[in-house]
Amino acid sequence: MSTIALTTDQINEFHENGYVIAKNYYSNDEISLIQNKAFNDDSLYERAWDKKDSSGTVSKVCIWQELDDGLYSMFSRGKRLVDSVEAILNEEAYHTSTKIMMKEPFVGGAWEWHQDFGYWHNDNYYLYPKQISCMIAINKATIENGCLQVLKGSHHIGRLNHTKTGDQKGAELEFVEEALKHHELIDVELEPGDVLFFHANLLHKSNQNKSSDPRWSMICAYNALSNQSFKENEAIYYPLNRVEDDAIINWKE
């Protein structure tokens, strides 16, 4: 087991609210490594998808499924994340995807209200919402630069239908508008190294980045091993070979 993990109180908070924020989950030295890597990694832009929101403004996202021995994978494969995910799920988990979200200054687009399970259910044929996403703040996330917003406790609603909104898939607005009446909207402001763990049915969105500061994050997603796709699709199962917590700080190019 990792020596850095969510506490029992944090796990209970996750189940009640659909999310929990783990402050300072990664050290300044660890985050400096990924900042230096990501901000100078031209391949992220080369591989990134441009995702337009409903107004046509673009956010960039680079996503992959298979993990390797690179620095990004040291985070995704790390016991620090995986052990905490399994403690929440109370069962063995595996990695489904890692993505780096690049919301650039002044031009970074919004992400519409959605649940991850809203499209994973149909696209990847997962029967149950036994997925957890872990958002690692690469740099500071603020209201001004378009931090994530969540509806506290909205995972209890269950899966909503999702339809096309720009290049994205968004939850049906009639249900979102009703959810807004019953669930508190939280601005998830994060410092570099903070991690947001959130449930696959939690309603979340982010606004456009209208500030001079970028908002970059890495999101590692995991699924319960018992909940693998029941029909062949683009989501490929890869065994998860986890690494110790010091794999990040000891990583060499």
Side-chain angles (χ1 to χ4, degrees):
M1 291 289 291
S2 169
T3 56
I4 304 170
L6 295 181
T7 66
T8 299
D9 285 345
Q10 287 175 313
I11 292 170
N12 290 338
E13 184 179 340
F14 177 95
H15 288 300
E16 180 179 354
N17 298 331
Y19 72 95
V20 67
I21 299 171
K23 306 295 290 183
N24 303 310
Y25 208 65
Y26 293 97
S27 69
N28 290 336
D29 289 341
E30 289 171 324
I31 289 301
S32 291
L33 285 173
I34 196 170
Q35 287 175 341
N36 292 335
K37 173 70 174 175
F39 294 156
N40 296 289
D41 187 353
D42 291 338
S43 73
L44 291 177
Y45 287 99
E46 293 166 2
R47 294 181 289 148
W49 299 349
D50 290 346
K51 291 289 187 179
K52 294 180 181 178
D53 58 26
S54 58
S55 69
T57 307
V58 171
S59 279
K60 294 182 180 294
V61 56
C62 185
I63 186 168
W64 58 90
Q65 296 180 51
E66 190 172 9
L67 300 177
D68 55 22
D69 293 323
L71 179 61
Y72 305 132
S73 292
M74 294 302 99
F75 286 83
S76 306
R77 292 171 54 192
K79 288 184 177 181
R80 191 179 320 186
L81 279 186
V82 180
D83 287 353
S84 287
V85 165
E86 291 183 341
I88 293 170
L89 291 172
N90 198 30
E91 60 177 294
E92 187 175 354
Y94 70 99
H95 171 267
T96 56
S97 68
T98 292
K99 55 189 173 185
I100 291 188
M101 315 287 289
M102 298 169 277
K103 189 173 282 197
E104 302 291 58
F106 303 116
V107 297
W111 289 89
E112 312 295 341
W113 281 114
H114 68 282
Q115 304 161 310
D116 291 341
F117 193 57
Y119 48 88
W120 284 345
H121 175 76
N122 290 316
D123 294 351
N124 300 138
Y125 297 97
Y126 299 138
L127 187 59
Y128 299 102
K130 293 183 177 182
Q131 296 93 24
I132 295 172
S133 294
C134 311
M135 173 182 277
I136 302 168
I138 296 176
N139 62 351
K140 195 168 184 176
T142 65
I143 294 173
E144 291 74 25
N145 69 7
C147 68
L148 204 72
Q149 296 179 310
V150 304
L151 290 189
K152 186 176 180 179
S154 60
H155 64 305
H156 295 298
I157 296 171
R159 181 178 62 86
L160 299 176
N161 290 330
H162 283 59
T163 56
K164 196 83 168 177
T165 307
D167 290 336
Q168 305 173 25
K169 292 179 181 176
E172 289 187 348
L173 283 179
E174 182 180 11
F175 286 88
V176 172
E177 288 167 358
E178 188 63 24
L180 283 162
K181 300 175 186 176
H182 301 277
H183 296 274
E184 183 183 0
L185 191 154
I186 304 293
D187 292 301
V188 183
E189 295 192 287
L190 302 174
E191 294 293 329
D194 293 348
V195 178
L196 170 72
F197 294 81
F198 62 100
H199 191 283
N201 270 336
L202 185 73
L203 278 164
H204 58 286
K205 72 180 287 286
S206 65
N207 292 325
Q208 294 178 5
N209 182 0
K210 297 184 177 180
S211 78
S212 59
D213 299 315
R215 203 265 285 176
W216 283 46
S217 61
M218 183 164 72
I219 303 179
C220 309
Y222 303 88
N223 184 29
L225 191 62
S226 65
N227 193 43
Q228 292 182 51
S229 304
F230 61 85
K231 185 176 178 179
E232 187 174 342
N233 64 89
E234 64 180 14
I236 301 170
Y237 167 73
Y238 295 101
L240 177 56
N241 298 312
R242 59 194 81 189
V243 295
E244 299 295 336
D245 285 341
D246 62 1
I248 297 170
I249 208 68
N250 291 330
W251 181 83
K252 301 295 182 183
E253 188 77 54

